[in-house]
């Protein structure tokens, strides 16, 4: 597995990349922050020609962790890429919500 921390100044944009047992390249995203007006996560997805994002996790609701998320979602919709799962914390009460399948939500208490 390769872990890349994008330079976004204060905040986070982290990409996890791996190859599954069938040899298919995979990518997951933890947080997505803009750097100025640029979105380093979108640039990385584009340069590496990923068609699917396995997961997007929003660690917590601070702007320095989500400022590029809307732009990323618009990019995914515009390009026809797919997102398999999305997770986020719910406030700061230690609950993580993950959408695994359409309409299915799992709550994980820490």
């Amino acid at each position: 597995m390769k872990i890349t921390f994008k330079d976004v100044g204060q905040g986070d944009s982290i990409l996890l990349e791996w190859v599954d047992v069938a040899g298919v390249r995979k990518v997951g995203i933890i947080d997505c922050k803009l750097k100025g007006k640029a979105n380093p996560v979108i640039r990385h997805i584009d340069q590496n020609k990923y068609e699917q994002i396995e997961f997007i996790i929003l660690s917590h609701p601070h702007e320095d962790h989500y400022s590029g998320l809307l732009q990323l979602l618009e990019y995914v919709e515009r390009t026809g890429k797919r997102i398999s799962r999305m997770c986020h914390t719910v406030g700061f009460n230690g609950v993580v919500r993950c959408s695994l399948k359409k309409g299915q939500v799992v709550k994980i208490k820490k």
Side-chain angles (χ1 to χ4, degrees):
M1 178 174 288
K2 177 181 174 185
I3 302 172
T4 303
F5 293 84
K6 291 298 186 179
D7 176 14
V8 292
Q10 171 69 34
D12 287 320
S13 286
I14 304 166
L15 292 111
L16 287 78
E17 299 168 275
W18 68 97
V19 177
D20 71 8
V21 294
V24 177
R25 294 173 48 245
K26 305 282 187 169
V27 65
I29 299 166
I30 302 173
D31 294 337
C32 185
K33 181 183 184 277
L34 295 175
K35 183 170 186 181
K37 293 184 179 183
N39 193 319
V41 169
I42 291 175
R43 188 174 323 117
H44 190 95
I45 299 295
D46 229 17
Q47 287 174 342
N48 290 280
K49 298 180 178 22
Y50 286 109
E51 291 302 316
Q52 180 164 319
I53 298 167
E54 295 305 309
F55 61 81
I56 297 174
I57 298 172
L58 177 60
S59 65
H60 63 279
H62 284 170
E63 186 176 9
D64 62 343
H65 292 262
Y66 71 74
S67 66
L69 187 59
L70 179 59
Q71 194 178 73
L72 175 62
L73 294 174
E74 290 171 342
Y75 165 81
V76 166
E77 184 175 339
R78 184 176 66 254
T79 60
K81 298 186 186 310
R82 297 176 308 280
I83 301 168
S84 296
R85 295 171 189 85
M86 291 194 69
C87 299
H88 62 88
T89 56
V90 180
F92 295 100
N93 61 3
V95 175
V96 178
R97 293 175 59 94
C98 291
S99 174
L100 302 177
K101 295 180 183 173
K102 187 175 181 178
Q104 178 186 12
V105 174
V106 174
K107 291 183 183 181
I108 305 164
K109 267 237 190 248
K110 289 186 179 179

